[in-house]
Amino acid sequence: MKRPVIVLAMILAGGVVFSSAAFGLDPPAGQPQMPGAFMAPPPHGSRMEPPVNRGLKLICDNMQINVLAELTGLSQENIRQLLISSPPQAIIDAYGVSPEVFCSSMDKQTTKLISQAALAGVITRKQAEEIQKKLSMKPTGPYQR
């Protein structure tokens, strides 16, 4: 009867020793962390971007896949596979599509989605006009020269 109790006590003591080694007993050194301290500062020379809405990112990614498939003649599944290892710029360069054509096709798709959202009542006509105005005032990017 005494032997199982000793074995159980040794197992528990070993578990305590291993868990203390795993979680550490020393308090963290340095200043106490504040909320958000886990975020790394942005690299030098870059700007901090606001978080992107997941739904908007999904729409944008699908729009990009549709446009790339249309411009290259590949299937959407092939474009998805190519985007895993290459950025869109590399794909349009490899298939001889000019960046201006890609950018204008993306703008056409965006305009189409905005008008569909306004017709479906997801956004108002005034909101659609504001979005169109902001879209026309966008800064020049890597696809525009």
Side-chain angles (χ1 to χ4, degrees):
M1 180 78 180
K2 206 173 195 186
R3 188 174 192 145
V5 173
I6 293 174
V7 171
L8 185 59
M10 289 177 62
I11 291 173
L12 287 173
V16 169
V17 168
F18 286 121
S19 65
S20 66
F23 294 111
L25 296 175
D26 296 333
Q31 297 178 349
Q33 291 186 350
M34 296 197 279
F38 60 90
M39 294 174 46
H44 181 67
S46 71
R47 59 188 178 136
M48 192 130 179
E49 298 286 334
V52 177
N53 182 316
R54 288 184 183 175
L56 290 177
K57 173 130 175 60
L58 180 65
I59 290 171
C60 184
D61 289 348
N62 284 327
M63 220 171 54
Q64 192 176 57
I65 289 169
N66 291 339
V67 167
L68 286 171
E70 180 183 314
L71 294 176
T72 61
L74 298 173
S75 70
Q76 291 179 357
E77 186 57 37
N78 287 346
I79 295 294
R80 280 188 187 90
Q81 294 299 318
L82 287 173
L83 284 172
I84 291 172
S85 60
S86 315
Q89 182 67 39
I91 295 171
I92 65 172
D93 287 345
Y95 285 89
V97 178
S98 74
E100 291 80 17
V101 171
F102 175 73
C103 189
S104 67
S105 296
M106 287 293 288
D107 287 344
K108 287 177 189 173
Q109 284 288 330
T110 304
T111 303
K112 181 180 170 184
L113 283 176
I114 293 167
S115 63
Q116 287 176 348
L119 288 174
V122 176
I123 59 174
T124 65
R125 181 57 63 189
K126 184 178 179 183
Q127 288 173 324
E129 291 169 0
E130 288 175 9
I131 294 170
Q132 286 291 352
K133 186 170 34 169
K134 287 180 182 179
L135 183 64
S136 66
M137 294 185 326
K138 69 179 180 179
T140 58
Y143 297 117
Q144 296 175 340
R145 294 177 183 157

